Every structure is written in C-alpha cells, then in structure tokens.
Amino acid sequence: MVFNLLKQLKKKIRLKRKRLIFGSYVLLAAIAYLLVAYEFPKPAYREAGASLGQAAAPEIDQALKAQQEQTLRQIRSEGGQRLTYIQRSYVCGEEQQELGLKSADEITALNGEHSDWTLSLNSGGNVIFTQHIDDLSPKCKQSAYFGVDESGNLSLFDGLPANDKVIRTFFQLNIQYLESTLPKETVHQLHEGIRVSDVAEFNSVLSTFSDYAVQESEKAMSPNY
C-alpha cells in the first residue's frame, strides 16, 4: 500500500514540476536568444572542464586496474598461500564468505574469471575479492526500513527507526516542506518506518523523498546556533 501511495505522490510531484519546467524553458530560451544575439564568447574553462569530466571515469578505471595488477604482482612474487575471502557489497548490507587458502596461481585465476570483482589485500595480508551487487542483502530484505534519524536525515535502518540502528544515511530532509506537502498518513509512515524488501521499493522510496532533500546552498544559508 505504501509503495502504491508513493507512486501516486511521485505523479503529483511530476505534474507540478512539468508546469515549473515549462516556464523555465521559456525563460531559458529567451536568455539563449540574447546570448546568441550579442555573441558572448564561450569561456574556455567550460570546454576544459567538460573534457576533464569525460576523462575522469576512464582514468579512475585505469588507476583501479593498475592497482590490482600491482597487487597481483606482489602476490605472485611473495608466493605461498593466502587466506581468501569474497565480500559481497549490496545496495544495503554486506556479507563476507571465506574461500579458504589459495595459491598465487589460484588467486590469479579467480581474478581472471571474475572481471566484476575487485582485488585487494587487507592489513593482515589476506586476499579480499569485493563484488558489488545491485540488490538488497538477504538480511536487509528481512529487516530494512526507511525513516528519519534524530538529525532529520533520510536514513535506512535495521528494524524500525525507533530502534535507532542506522545502516546508511542519505541526505537531510526539509521536514517543514515535507510535512506541509505530503499527506499526514505518509509523513506518519515515514517517521514510523517504511518497509522495503527489494531494490525496486528501495529506489522508489529514495527517489520520492529526494524531492525533499535540503540543498547544499540551503545548508550554507542556515544559521548555526
């Protein structure tokens, strides 16, 4: 029921946004016309910034691959066997499983077979393969709730928010705007806890309440007492 209610709320929010967006497009079109008419020069730093942004992702991938190759070289050069683990990192929750003692050749083979795993060594010299999974962990599927923490942040809890077991914090909510816009039933449900049991519900709740996130500019303007 909560999931369907959130869908309806999102539709209402989208309708309001479309009206605002239409007005914004008209204003932007007028500004664009003036810019072209007066032939304002394009700042060089914008082009440089765009190129830098496009190159950032490949550079991060290359750095990660280089780091893993260096780790593999270290493992092969030192030889012997290492205790090896697979750590599954979910959207909500983590699980770790021991794979046992593995030789350098076995570790290299595992790394080659699973391109989506990330290889690293922990402080004890054990091998950690990390797998990122776009889903909730089995434990989260059983006990995850969205709610509001004491600081007004949208957070994910292990159990009801009243138990105060925060798994993950996302962003600060504009509580006043939220309470004045959403139905009392929805606000009450958020404070009591919104149960999520799969990644679709997780994304839907997160997307819905992201419309009520406090922007960084608002935080900067808020006085500190």
Side-chain angles (χ1 to χ4, degrees), residues 31-56:
I31 293 171
Y33 175 80
L34 290 173
L35 287 172
V36 172
Y38 285 96
E39 295 183 281
F40 284 129
K42 185 185 292 184
Y45 70 85
R46 289 188 180 178
E47 294 182 358
S51 301
L52 184 60
Q54 293 171 357

mmCIF file of all heavy atoms in Angstrom, residues 31-56:
data_model
loop_
_atom_site.group_PDB
_atom_site.id
_atom_site.type_symbol
_atom_site.label_atom_id
_atom_site.label_comp_id
_atom_site.label_asym_id
_atom_site.label_seq_id
_atom_site.Cartn_x
_atom_site.Cartn_y
_atom_site.Cartn_z
ATOM 1 N N ILE A 31 16.824 33.712 -22.770
ATOM 2 C CA ILE A 31 18.220 34.001 -22.409
ATOM 3 C C ILE A 31 19.165 33.511 -23.500
ATOM 4 O O ILE A 31 20.128 34.188 -23.867
ATOM 5 C CB ILE A 31 18.559 33.338 -21.064
ATOM 6 C CG1 ILE A 31 17.760 34.017 -19.941
ATOM 7 C CG2 ILE A 31 20.047 33.435 -20.759
ATOM 8 C CD1 ILE A 31 17.861 33.312 -18.606
ATOM 9 N N ALA A 32 18.893 32.306 -24.033
ATOM 10 C CA ALA A 32 19.741 31.747 -25.088
ATOM 11 C C ALA A 32 19.730 32.637 -26.328
ATOM 12 O O ALA A 32 20.766 32.848 -26.980
ATOM 13 C CB ALA A 32 19.259 30.349 -25.446
ATOM 14 N N TYR A 33 18.541 33.171 -26.640
ATOM 15 C CA TYR A 33 18.439 34.067 -27.800
ATOM 16 C C TYR A 33 19.300 35.304 -27.613
ATOM 17 O O TYR A 33 19.998 35.746 -28.527
ATOM 18 C CB TYR A 33 16.974 34.457 -28.010
ATOM 19 C CG TYR A 33 16.783 35.486 -29.109
ATOM 20 C CD1 TYR A 33 16.786 35.110 -30.450
ATOM 21 C CD2 TYR A 33 16.629 36.837 -28.797
ATOM 22 C CE1 TYR A 33 16.628 36.051 -31.450
ATOM 23 C CE2 TYR A 33 16.471 37.785 -29.793
ATOM 24 C CZ TYR A 33 16.466 37.388 -31.123
ATOM 25 O OH TYR A 33 16.316 38.323 -32.104
ATOM 26 N N LEU A 34 19.260 35.880 -26.417
ATOM 27 C CA LEU A 34 20.058 37.070 -26.131
ATOM 28 C C LEU A 34 21.548 36.771 -26.204
ATOM 29 O O LEU A 34 22.337 37.567 -26.718
ATOM 30 C CB LEU A 34 19.710 37.609 -24.736
ATOM 31 C CG LEU A 34 18.311 38.253 -24.591
ATOM 32 C CD1 LEU A 34 18.034 38.573 -23.134
ATOM 33 C CD2 LEU A 34 18.205 39.503 -25.455
ATOM 34 N N LEU A 35 21.942 35.603 -25.712
ATOM 35 C CA LEU A 35 23.358 35.231 -25.751
ATOM 36 C C LEU A 35 23.864 35.114 -27.185
ATOM 37 O O LEU A 35 24.960 35.556 -27.530
ATOM 38 C CB LEU A 35 23.574 33.902 -25.013
ATOM 39 C CG LEU A 35 23.472 33.959 -23.482
ATOM 40 C CD1 LEU A 35 23.518 32.554 -22.903
ATOM 41 C CD2 LEU A 35 24.613 34.789 -22.902
ATOM 42 N N VAL A 36 23.044 34.494 -28.028
ATOM 43 C CA VAL A 36 23.435 34.337 -29.442
ATOM 44 C C VAL A 36 23.455 35.691 -30.132
ATOM 45 O O VAL A 36 24.351 36.000 -30.928
ATOM 46 C CB VAL A 36 22.450 33.380 -30.153
ATOM 47 C CG1 VAL A 36 22.732 33.357 -31.651
ATOM 48 C CG2 VAL A 36 22.567 31.987 -29.571
ATOM 49 N N ALA A 37 22.459 36.509 -29.828
ATOM 50 C CA ALA A 37 22.358 37.816 -30.490
ATOM 51 C C ALA A 37 23.561 38.691 -30.206
ATOM 52 O O ALA A 37 24.054 39.401 -31.063
ATOM 53 C CB ALA A 37 21.070 38.521 -30.040
ATOM 54 N N TYR A 38 24.017 38.658 -28.984
ATOM 55 C CA TYR A 38 25.155 39.508 -28.597
ATOM 56 C C TYR A 38 26.497 38.788 -28.732
ATOM 57 O O TYR A 38 27.536 39.352 -28.440
ATOM 58 C CB TYR A 38 24.968 39.989 -27.155
ATOM 59 C CG TYR A 38 23.919 41.066 -27.049
ATOM 60 C CD1 TYR A 38 22.618 40.725 -26.708
ATOM 61 C CD2 TYR A 38 24.225 42.394 -27.303
ATOM 62 C CE1 TYR A 38 21.633 41.695 -26.606
ATOM 63 C CE2 TYR A 38 23.239 43.371 -27.205
ATOM 64 C CZ TYR A 38 21.947 43.025 -26.860
ATOM 65 O OH TYR A 38 20.981 43.979 -26.762
ATOM 66 N N GLU A 39 26.462 37.539 -29.187
ATOM 67 C CA GLU A 39 27.672 36.763 -29.474
ATOM 68 C C GLU A 39 28.649 36.779 -28.298
ATOM 69 O O GLU A 39 29.812 37.137 -28.418
ATOM 70 C CB GLU A 39 28.366 37.315 -30.721
ATOM 71 C CG GLU A 39 27.526 37.153 -31.967
ATOM 72 C CD GLU A 39 28.263 37.645 -33.196
ATOM 73 O OE1 GLU A 39 28.309 38.849 -33.419
ATOM 74 O OE2 GLU A 39 28.812 36.815 -33.899
ATOM 75 N N PHE A 40 28.149 36.399 -27.150
ATOM 76 C CA PHE A 40 29.030 36.291 -25.997
ATOM 77 C C PHE A 40 30.038 35.181 -26.236
ATOM 78 O O PHE A 40 29.690 34.105 -26.701
ATOM 79 C CB PHE A 40 28.222 35.963 -24.730
ATOM 80 C CG PHE A 40 27.481 37.141 -24.178
ATOM 81 C CD1 PHE A 40 26.134 37.054 -23.877
ATOM 82 C CD2 PHE A 40 28.130 38.349 -23.949
ATOM 83 C CE1 PHE A 40 25.449 38.126 -23.349
ATOM 84 C CE2 PHE A 40 27.454 39.419 -23.433
ATOM 85 C CZ PHE A 40 26.100 39.316 -23.137
ATOM 86 N N PRO A 41 31.297 35.402 -25.917
ATOM 87 C CA PRO A 41 32.298 34.347 -26.104
ATOM 88 C C PRO A 41 32.088 33.217 -25.108
ATOM 89 O O PRO A 41 31.670 33.433 -23.979
ATOM 90 C CB PRO A 41 33.636 35.062 -25.815
ATOM 91 C CG PRO A 41 33.258 36.202 -24.929
ATOM 92 C CD PRO A 41 31.887 36.642 -25.359
ATOM 93 N N LYS A 42 32.348 32.012 -25.521
ATOM 94 C CA LYS A 42 32.243 30.847 -24.651
ATOM 95 C C LYS A 42 33.499 30.747 -23.792
ATOM 96 O O LYS A 42 34.607 30.728 -24.318
ATOM 97 C CB LYS A 42 32.122 29.576 -25.492
ATOM 98 C CG LYS A 42 31.881 28.328 -24.643
ATOM 99 C CD LYS A 42 31.897 27.090 -25.491
ATOM 100 C CE LYS A 42 30.715 27.044 -26.420
ATOM 101 N NZ LYS A 42 30.679 25.773 -27.184
ATOM 102 N N PRO A 43 33.350 30.707 -22.465
ATOM 103 C CA PRO A 43 34.533 30.612 -21.597
ATOM 104 C C PRO A 43 35.324 29.341 -21.883
ATOM 105 O O PRO A 43 34.759 28.266 -21.992
ATOM 106 C CB PRO A 43 33.929 30.571 -20.182
ATOM 107 C CG PRO A 43 32.540 31.118 -20.326
ATOM 108 C CD PRO A 43 32.099 30.769 -21.711
ATOM 109 N N ALA A 44 36.635 29.522 -21.985
ATOM 110 C CA ALA A 44 37.493 28.380 -22.307
ATOM 111 C C ALA A 44 37.475 27.334 -21.206
ATOM 112 O O ALA A 44 37.601 26.145 -21.470
ATOM 113 C CB ALA A 44 38.930 28.862 -22.539
ATOM 114 N N TYR A 45 37.267 27.801 -19.932
ATOM 115 C CA TYR A 45 37.339 26.840 -18.837
ATOM 116 C C TYR A 45 36.196 25.838 -18.891
ATOM 117 O O TYR A 45 36.304 24.740 -18.384
ATOM 118 C CB TYR A 45 37.336 27.558 -17.480
ATOM 119 C CG TYR A 45 36.029 28.203 -17.105
ATOM 120 C CD1 TYR A 45 35.022 27.467 -16.486
ATOM 121 C CD2 TYR A 45 35.801 29.557 -17.357
ATOM 122 C CE1 TYR A 45 33.822 28.054 -16.125
ATOM 123 C CE2 TYR A 45 34.608 30.142 -16.998
ATOM 124 C CZ TYR A 45 33.620 29.401 -16.382
ATOM 125 O OH TYR A 45 32.438 29.985 -16.040
ATOM 126 N N ARG A 46 35.057 26.212 -19.527
ATOM 127 C CA ARG A 46 33.941 25.275 -19.615
ATOM 128 C C ARG A 46 34.299 24.090 -20.499
ATOM 129 O O ARG A 46 33.976 22.948 -20.193
ATOM 130 C CB ARG A 46 32.702 25.980 -20.179
ATOM 131 C CG ARG A 46 32.078 26.964 -19.198
ATOM 132 C CD ARG A 46 30.771 27.493 -19.718
ATOM 133 N NE ARG A 46 30.155 28.433 -18.783
ATOM 134 C CZ ARG A 46 29.026 29.080 -19.013
ATOM 135 N NH1 ARG A 46 28.387 28.901 -20.150
ATOM 136 N NH2 ARG A 46 28.537 29.915 -18.113
ATOM 137 N N GLU A 47 34.963 24.364 -21.618
ATOM 138 C CA GLU A 47 35.367 23.279 -22.503
ATOM 139 C C GLU A 47 36.380 22.387 -21.816
ATOM 140 O O GLU A 47 36.327 21.167 -21.912
ATOM 141 C CB GLU A 47 35.945 23.850 -23.798
ATOM 142 C CG GLU A 47 34.909 24.606 -24.633
ATOM 143 C CD GLU A 47 35.507 25.101 -25.927
ATOM 144 O OE1 GLU A 47 36.720 24.890 -26.138
ATOM 145 O OE2 GLU A 47 34.778 25.697 -26.727
ATOM 146 N N ALA A 48 37.309 23.016 -21.108
ATOM 147 C CA ALA A 48 38.323 22.232 -20.406
ATOM 148 C C ALA A 48 37.691 21.375 -19.327
ATOM 149 O O ALA A 48 38.049 20.218 -19.138
ATOM 150 C CB ALA A 48 39.366 23.166 -19.784
ATOM 151 N N GLY A 49 36.685 21.965 -18.608
ATOM 152 C CA GLY A 49 36.010 21.227 -17.544
ATOM 153 C C GLY A 49 35.250 20.035 -18.086
ATOM 154 O O GLY A 49 35.243 18.963 -17.501
ATOM 155 N N ALA A 50 34.586 20.220 -19.252
ATOM 156 C CA ALA A 50 33.835 19.124 -19.850
ATOM 157 C C ALA A 50 34.756 17.987 -20.241
ATOM 158 O O ALA A 50 34.468 16.817 -20.028
ATOM 159 C CB ALA A 50 33.067 19.633 -21.076
ATOM 160 N N SER A 51 35.905 18.350 -20.841
ATOM 161 C CA SER A 51 36.859 17.316 -21.232
ATOM 162 C C SER A 51 37.387 16.573 -20.027
ATOM 163 O O SER A 51 37.563 15.355 -20.049
ATOM 164 C CB SER A 51 38.034 17.958 -21.994
ATOM 165 O OG SER A 51 37.564 18.625 -23.145
ATOM 166 N N LEU A 52 37.620 17.315 -18.937
ATOM 167 C CA LEU A 52 38.125 16.698 -17.724
ATOM 168 C C LEU A 52 37.103 15.727 -17.151
ATOM 169 O O LEU A 52 37.438 14.632 -16.716
ATOM 170 C CB LEU A 52 38.443 17.778 -16.684
ATOM 171 C CG LEU A 52 39.078 17.308 -15.363
ATOM 172 C CD1 LEU A 52 40.400 16.618 -15.637
ATOM 173 C CD2 LEU A 52 39.265 18.470 -14.419
ATOM 174 N N GLY A 53 35.792 16.123 -17.187
ATOM 175 C CA GLY A 53 34.739 15.263 -16.672
ATOM 176 C C GLY A 53 34.616 13.986 -17.472
ATOM 177 O O GLY A 53 34.418 12.908 -16.937
ATOM 178 N N GLN A 54 34.739 14.098 -18.815
ATOM 179 C CA GLN A 54 34.637 12.920 -19.665
ATOM 180 C C GLN A 54 35.798 11.978 -19.444
ATOM 181 O O GLN A 54 35.671 10.766 -19.567
ATOM 182 C CB GLN A 54 34.589 13.348 -21.133
ATOM 183 C CG GLN A 54 33.303 14.115 -21.492
ATOM 184 C CD GLN A 54 33.377 14.708 -22.873
ATOM 185 O OE1 GLN A 54 34.392 14.608 -23.561
ATOM 186 N NE2 GLN A 54 32.286 15.345 -23.295
ATOM 187 N N ALA A 55 36.951 12.529 -19.100
ATOM 188 C CA ALA A 55 38.135 11.690 -18.946
ATOM 189 C C ALA A 55 38.236 11.083 -17.553
ATOM 190 O O ALA A 55 38.985 10.151 -17.341
ATOM 191 C CB ALA A 55 39.390 12.520 -19.228
ATOM 192 N N ALA A 56 37.451 11.628 -16.594
ATOM 193 C CA ALA A 56 37.591 11.201 -15.199
ATOM 194 C C ALA A 56 37.300 9.723 -15.012
ATOM 195 O O ALA A 56 38.066 9.014 -14.366
ATOM 196 C CB ALA A 56 36.671 12.040 -14.313
#
